[in-house]
Amino acid sequence: MEACKLTEVLDNKKFKILEFKLDNDVKQRLHTMGIHFNDIYIRQNASSWGPILIQNLSNNASRIAIGRNLAEKILVECE
């Protein structure tokens, strides 16, 4: 497995979050939205514009939209 940015994950591919390159306030906001380390996620859309939709498969949560600027700063473990 290799590390890549969330924006580089392909459609319908599973991944785990490795690192947030963000300040603590944003990390806390992501945590309250249900985005955690070591959970398994799947990317729901592959469009090159607009937010990135992800779903947490570990707890069967609903989809979460993440802006592209924020997604560029999230490192994930790609398949």
Side-chain angles (χ1 to χ4, degrees):
M1 300 276 178
E2 63 182 53
C4 63
K5 296 176 184 176
L6 179 55
T7 54
E8 298 170 346
V9 175
L10 300 175
D11 190 27
N12 292 319
K13 294 292 182 181
K14 294 178 184 177
F15 63 91
K16 287 184 181 181
I17 295 177
L18 298 176
E19 179 182 356
F20 297 121
K21 294 190 172 192
L22 303 161
D23 62 25
N24 287 334
D25 291 337
V26 179
K27 288 179 188 178
Q28 182 63 35
R29 193 173 77 208
L30 290 174
H31 184 70
T32 59
M33 289 172 55
I35 300 173
H36 310 106
F37 292 109
N38 295 324
D39 285 352
I40 299 171
Y41 296 86
I42 188 167
R43 182 169 171 175
Q44 297 285 317
N45 67 336
S47 66
S48 60
W49 56 273
I52 294 174
L53 296 176
I54 64 171
Q55 182 176 13
N56 188 332
L57 299 177
S58 298
N59 61 10
N60 230 1
S62 59
R63 291 185 287 178
I64 300 168
I66 299 176
R68 289 199 176 268
N69 289 337
L70 185 59
E72 280 285 323
K73 298 173 184 167
I74 299 174
L75 292 180
V76 300
E77 184 179 276
C78 303
E79 286 189 350

